[in-house]
Amino acid sequence: MTRWTPDPTFYPSPSEAATAPAEKLAYVAAFDRTASRPDAIVVLDTDPDSPAYGTVVGWTDLPHLGDELHHFGWNACSSALCPTAPHPHVERRYLIVPGLRSSRIHVLDTQPDPRQPQVVKVIGAEELAKKAGYSRPHTVHCGPDGIYLSALGGADGAEGPGGVAILDHTTFEVRGAWESDRGPQFLAYDVWWHLTQDVLVTSEWGTPSMIEDGIIGELLLGRRYGHAIHFWDLARRRHVQRVDLGEAYQMPLELRPAHDPTQSYGFVGVVISVEDLSASVWLWHRDGDGDAWAVTKVIDIPAEPADPADLPDLLKPFGAVPPLVTDIDLSVDDRFLYVSCWGTGELRQYDVSDPLHPVQTGSVHLGGIVRRTAHPSAPDEPLAGGPQMVEVSRDGRRVYVSNSLYGAWDDQFYPDGVGAWLAKLDVDVDAGGLTPDDRFFPHGEEFRGLRVHQTRLQGGDASSDSYCFP
């Protein structure tokens, strides 16, 4: 893990990262909904000059059952070059892979053969509970002083509070809970930061009982899911401010701060409004005086009318398909924001050069609760699911989308089966726009009956790295 020189995939600034060579491999979290066989990390060939382009070229089964792999990340990234807590001699080598249902955390070594990652450590649920007081680990981010791991639940069966645990960069042991003073924060989901400003941001979903068996209509209509984001003093690990988006705006999930470390804004996607089933994207920013934080809704995506006969039971009374914005991603140059509408089966691209006034520049339909839009390479195969997890290459020219959200929620919204597919879209980086790549569409039995969730790109991607220099 130790190097004499910094890892060549580390870049001090986003502008330099955008010049990085194209990824040759992608790592994908795949899970078995029935928990009767192991989940896996699947390796895809992303080199267009390779004869295996767009196919599965590696497969690593995990050692246990029932993990439900979700959001995973690298042990180290470009934040290692930050002067606040530098450790430039680590390398981007290990994948930190949490199981959302099992609360186990897996460490996979991608060396010496990047196509065959090997499990080298499993951190049990007991260690996470004992040392950090958490369960249901959800999201991994490599920070300058450790590995940050958000978690949805408390220890020993407690519903919460959820929060953030810290893992050691070298041993991968759980150091403990990150928070020294959590203030009013109870619900958890994502965690990100503005490193050079000592600001950490967290978002909200729900406690384990609120999500593990699917969305609960009574809780949704009762406005009981998360609807706020939280700002923290990163250095002091103390809660600073809670900003409520309004009770109608349920489940602010993915956080995407500006990559430019001189900027003080970011985007958060909101799954649904209980008033009209719309979805939205909000901008967080400093308020007029610059001392506190505020949020502004900058994108509104309406629900689409539909015949109740074509809808799953949960949606029949409404006669409409909600967009269900379940992931967003921001290109490394902070120009394009990608918004996945998992319910309507659409990936939208917005030019956010002016963050307060996004302009839609592209759209691709795949799947959808009603549409079931096929991929151009398989026009006779209606697709279930929709663009869900989104990953953008460092140069911004390629976007990868996978179709599964979360096992129980898949089953609610796509009761006839969500399937498994992953698509690559080519980006017009000059004018904007998206085009599906006909050559890249692994799907169906290529994933051996598993569902596919998050993708990580070899060498880094738009949502794995943070930078301390402009």
Side-chain angles (χ1 to χ4, degrees):
M1 185 172 175
T2 301
R3 299 174 57 91
W4 289 107
T5 58
D7 188 313
T9 71
F10 294 172
Y11 293 88
S13 69
S15 59
E16 292 178 74
T19 69
E23 65 282 352
K24 297 295 182 70
L25 298 173
Y27 298 95
V28 181
F31 70 95
D32 178 35
R33 171 70 176 124
T34 67
S36 60
R37 52 177 295 193
D39 294 352
I41 291 294
V42 180
V43 187
L44 300 177
D45 189 322
T46 61
D47 180 359
D49 295 328
S50 167
Y53 178 63
T55 67
V56 174
V57 293
W59 189 284
T60 303
D61 281 326
L62 298 192
H64 302 285
L65 302 177
D67 288 305
E68 186 141 351
L69 302 187
H70 212 63
H71 295 188
F72 65 109
W74 292 103
N75 66 298
C77 57
S78 296
S79 65
L81 302 181
C82 289
T84 50
H87 49 281
H89 302 299
V90 297
E91 59 182 321
R92 189 194 310 266
R93 174 171 174 170
Y94 297 91
L95 293 170
I96 314 301
V97 185
L100 185 52
R101 286 187 181 271
S102 69
S103 295
R104 286 184 287 262
I105 305 163
H106 311 82
V107 180
L108 279 75
D109 190 351
T110 63
Q111 299 298 329
D113 182 358
R115 296 183 175 217
Q116 296 295 333
Q118 299 298 311
V119 178
V120 295
K121 185 180 180 75
V122 178
I123 301 166
E126 301 80 9
E127 181 177 350
L128 181 63
K130 179 179 179 181
K131 294 184 177 179
Y134 292 130
S135 65
R136 294 2 182 258
H138 185 274
T139 295
V140 174
H141 285 305
C142 38
D145 54 347
I147 301 169
Y148 285 62
L149 177 73
S150 72
L152 304 183
D156 304 318
E159 281 285 275
V164 181
I166 299 293
L167 274 60
D168 187 271
H169 268 304
T170 304
T171 65
F172 309 113
E173 293 180 355
V174 180
R175 289 182 185 165
W178 174 80
E179 303 86 355
S180 66
D181 178 2
R182 73 172 63 251
Q185 180 267 327
F186 188 84
L187 299 178
Y189 183 79
D190 200 6
V191 54
W192 255 115
W193 43 56
H194 296 289
L195 282 176
T196 63
Q197 302 169 53
D198 273 334
V199 173
L200 182 137
V201 190
T202 62
S203 60
E204 300 184 336
W205 189 10
T207 63
S209 70
M210 296 169 71
I211 67 164
E212 287 186 340
D213 295 323
I215 194 169
I216 300 172
E218 293 81 3
L219 295 182
L220 180 65
L221 296 177
R223 309 182 182 205
R224 298 281 301 281
Y225 288 95
H227 47 85
I229 58 176
H230 300 263
F231 296 88
W232 308 72
D233 184 316
L234 178 58
R236 298 171 183 265
R237 299 156 52 199
R238 298 173 63 88
H239 190 277
V240 172
Q241 185 182 354
R242 177 181 183 270
V243 178
D244 198 332
L245 280 62
E247 291 183 349
Y249 295 102
Q250 293 281 285
M251 295 176 274
L253 297 185
E254 304 297 336
L255 301 167
R256 300 294 181 231
H259 294 90
D260 181 345
T262 68
Q263 299 298 316
S264 302
Y265 70 84
F267 299 92
V268 58
V270 174
V271 175
I272 195 167
S273 165
V274 297
E275 293 182 346
D276 57 11
L277 300 188
S278 66
S280 52
V281 178
W282 297 62
L283 183 79
W284 76 76
H285 53 89
R286 296 285 188 180
D287 67 4
D289 298 327
D291 295 327
W293 294 94
V295 293
T296 300
K297 185 167 65 169
V298 294
I299 296 173
D300 217 345
I301 305 174
E304 299 180 358
D307 185 338
D310 297 330
L311 296 172
D313 291 343
L314 185 67
L315 298 177
K316 286 183 184 300
F318 303 100
V321 180
L324 300 176
V325 167
T326 51
D327 194 21
I328 61 175
D329 206 1
L330 182 63
S331 62
V332 171
D333 63 2
D334 294 334
R335 182 181 174 194
F336 290 119
L337 182 73
Y338 296 90
V339 180
S340 65
C341 302
W342 187 67
T344 50
E346 181 184 17
L347 181 72
R348 293 188 172 199
Q349 179 197 57
Y350 291 86
D351 187 326
V352 290
S353 301
D354 178 353
L356 278 166
H357 301 96
V359 176
Q360 186 173 346
T361 50
S363 170
V364 167
H365 283 96
L366 292 169
I369 291 173
V370 172
R371 277 197 182 94
R372 304 298 172 105
T373 306
H375 190 274
S377 68
D380 297 328
E381 296 182 34
L383 294 179
Q388 204 282 298
M389 291 306 295
V390 188
E391 198 48 77
V392 184
S393 64
R394 291 170 293 180
D395 62 7
R397 296 180 179 276
R398 295 165 302 284
V399 175
Y400 300 85
V401 294
S402 53
N403 77 313
S404 169
L405 171 59
Y406 182 51
W409 295 44
D410 291 346
D411 298 346
Q412 275 188 307
F413 290 100
Y414 294 91
D416 56 337
V418 76
W421 54 265
L422 193 147
K424 170 180 166 283
L425 311 174
D426 294 320
V427 179
D428 182 338
V429 295
D430 297 318
L434 296 164
T435 305
D437 182 345
D438 289 349
R439 298 176 55 208
F440 195 104
F441 184 56
H443 64 287
E445 287 310 308
E446 292 179 74
F447 292 114
R448 306 181 191 178
L450 302 188
R451 301 182 190 181
V452 288
H453 192 60
Q454 192 189 22
T455 302
R456 281 275 173 237
L457 304 183
Q458 184 185 35
D461 45 60
S463 70
S464 63
D465 285 43
S466 44
Y467 308 91
C468 283
F469 300 94

